[in-house]
Amino acid sequence: VPQQVLEQVLRQLQPLCRAEQQFLQEFFQLSQDPADLQGLQVRLSTVSSPGPLPTLLSGLGPTSAGTEEPTTRLLSEIFRCLEPELRGFLDVCNKVHPFGCLQVLVTLSDSVFEMWGSSSASPSSFLNAVLGNVLLLAKSSFNKCIGTLCKEIEEGKVPSKMKGGLLPSVSRFEEFVDFSEEVFRTARRRGELDKAHLRLASSVFSSISSLSSANLKVNTDMVMMENFHHIHCFLCQRKIHCLEDKKREAKQRYSEHMEKYVIKHLGQPLERLNHFFDGVKSRLAQGVKEEEVSFQLAYSKQELRKVLEKYPGKEVRRALETLYRKIHKELSPEENLLPVVWHAMEQELIHQYQEFEDLIQRCYAGSGIAMDFTVEDLLSYFNSITLSN
């Protein structure tokens, strides 16, 4: 496993660099004073036969290596291949697994922070610099990976034959969250991951919202309702602090689309009644007095009776049975939202009934006109349909 190999490499690097540093300081009697290196170069310049060390030191004058302390400058030359090799290994890790950059980031971050916070002998400043550079590379790879994933989620196409259920973008988001949370489970810091979670959650919400403009053959509100509900349940289970606001937003969006879905479908079992009383409310809004509504030709007592005749109790029950079969067919069994939606429809239909009844009493007072079914009948219809299915 690349992560385990990287951990092993990092564990061995620190004592190796520390030992080499100690040897250089003791053998060549070096301190952090650059003058020590100059003195060493002078001493070695008397060596008659050139060798690797005099050649190495000859190129480490004050002008060639800035203000680095002499030991670090020597280590940089001795281990000059270390950083390129680590960079190459990081590339391999990223190619082995689509989210390999997460494992690399956690391993490097923990190693660097552990090294900086160690109470033992101070780590080599050379190794600090190398791992710091590689850590920046790992963060860059991680951010690039997240950016690619966000683009994939936002630009992902909805399956042409989609009949409901989870969108690919939601599944992709959950896959990443589960994998990353496991990788970061013991990480010392998770700031980078929290930022990534927020970016990805925003991309997923955007991809779901874009369904409203998609040419779907299924009810858009139903698909949105199910996917936001799924995300809300998922985030409730995972309890990720940085996504608390997104969890609340998912619940709100789920509720909004369920309300739209319910209202749209409930226009079907009582469609004519809805249309008639929408007209009554429109006349009242225009300033027509309640007692004068029944004198409007389209909203006379006779017209109301004609509409009510279309909805005897048996017909309403039959329409509700048809509605139940339809939503049962539309909703995906995985989300198990049928009981919730059916109860919401029951509440909405009772609300509509009470509103119709109120308008009859206000605008057709004393006419003796009433609907053929009661609230108790509606409750009975819903209950029996639920039990029989």
Side-chain angles (χ1 to χ4, degrees), residues 89-373:
F89 182 72
L90 261 59
D91 289 338
V92 172
C93 292
N94 293 336
K95 292 174 182 177
V96 168
H97 191 283
F99 298 142
C101 55
L102 277 75
Q103 297 171 317
V104 168
L105 180 61
V106 170
T107 304
L108 273 171
S109 297
D110 285 354
S111 178
V112 169
F113 288 119
E114 181 181 349
M115 188 169 63
W116 288 349
S118 175
S119 58
S120 59
S122 60
S124 162
S125 57
F126 158 73
L127 186 58
N128 266 343
V130 170
L131 294 186
N133 290 338
V134 178
L135 179 58
L136 288 176
L137 177 64
K139 287 184 178 181
S140 176
S141 298
F142 176 75
N143 290 329
K144 183 178 179 181
C145 171
I146 298 304
T148 301
L149 187 55
C150 285
K151 186 176 181 181
E152 175 189 326
I153 288 174
E154 291 171 8
E155 298 180 357
K157 295 182 179 180
V158 180
S160 58
K161 296 183 179 180
M162 181 174 181
K163 296 182 179 180
L166 284 191
L167 293 168
S169 60
V170 174
S171 301
R172 193 78 169 122
F173 170 71
E174 293 183 355
E175 176 190 353
F176 174 85
V177 169
D178 282 340
F179 179 82
S180 62
E181 284 296 318
E182 178 60 27
V183 172
F184 276 77
R185 182 170 50 86
T186 58
R188 293 170 178 262
R189 300 194 178 192
R190 53 173 292 143
E192 298 292 330
L193 180 62
D194 287 345
K195 292 177 186 177
H197 279 343
L198 288 170
R199 284 182 64 188
L200 287 167
S202 296
S203 294
V204 171
F205 280 40
S206 176
S207 73
I208 298 175
S209 299
S210 67
L211 287 174
S212 58
S213 59
N215 187 23
L216 296 180
K217 296 181 181 180
V218 294
N219 186 286
T220 303
D221 286 311
M222 181 267 291
V223 178
M224 291 183 170
M225 169 186 71
E226 289 195 322
N227 280 272
F228 278 121
H229 173 264
H230 188 90
I231 290 178
H232 176 256
C233 292
F234 175 78
L235 294 180
C236 284
Q237 294 170 357
R238 297 304 181 270
K239 298 178 181 179
I240 301 172
H241 179 71
C242 70
L243 293 177
E244 282 296 310
D245 287 342
K246 288 297 182 183
K247 181 179 73 175
R248 286 188 284 270
E249 182 183 348
K251 183 178 182 180
Q252 179 186 349
R253 302 280 288 276
Y254 146 65
S255 299
E256 288 174 358
H257 288 291
M258 183 172 71
E259 182 179 351
K260 291 179 181 179
Y261 179 75
V262 167
I263 290 175
K264 180 177 180 179
H265 278 68
L266 275 180
Q268 296 171 3
L270 303 178
E271 188 171 4
R272 287 195 176 187
L273 272 177
N274 273 287
H275 181 72
F276 182 89
F277 285 111
D278 280 346
V280 171
K281 287 186 287 185
S282 175
R283 293 296 185 275
L284 292 174
Q286 292 170 5
V288 177
K289 295 180 180 179
E290 292 178 355
E291 60 272 16
E292 295 178 356
V293 170
S294 62
F295 295 103
Q296 302 276 321
L297 184 60
Y299 304 102
S300 64
K301 297 174 184 177
Q302 184 178 359
E303 289 299 317
L304 175 57
R305 288 191 179 95
K306 286 181 181 179
V307 174
L308 291 177
E309 286 175 0
K310 301 289 184 181
Y311 294 98
K314 292 181 179 180
E315 187 61 35
V316 171
R317 178 192 166 89
R318 189 178 297 113
L320 289 176
E321 288 174 340
T322 302
L323 176 63
Y324 184 91
R325 287 193 294 270
K326 181 175 182 179
I327 63 173
H328 181 273
K329 184 178 180 180
E330 285 185 346
L331 297 177
S332 60
E334 293 82 8
E335 294 306 304
N336 194 32
L337 281 177
L338 180 58
V340 180
V341 171
W342 188 238
H343 178 70
M345 288 187 168
E346 176 185 78
Q347 297 302 306
E348 177 61 27
L349 190 56
I350 290 173
H351 171 73
Q352 287 185 9
Y353 178 91
Q354 292 171 337
E355 186 179 37
F356 298 161
E357 196 174 49
D358 177 64
L359 288 171
I360 291 173
Q361 291 175 355
R362 286 162 53 197
C363 302
Y364 303 90
S367 64
I369 299 175
M371 287 179 277
D372 186 60
F373 53 95

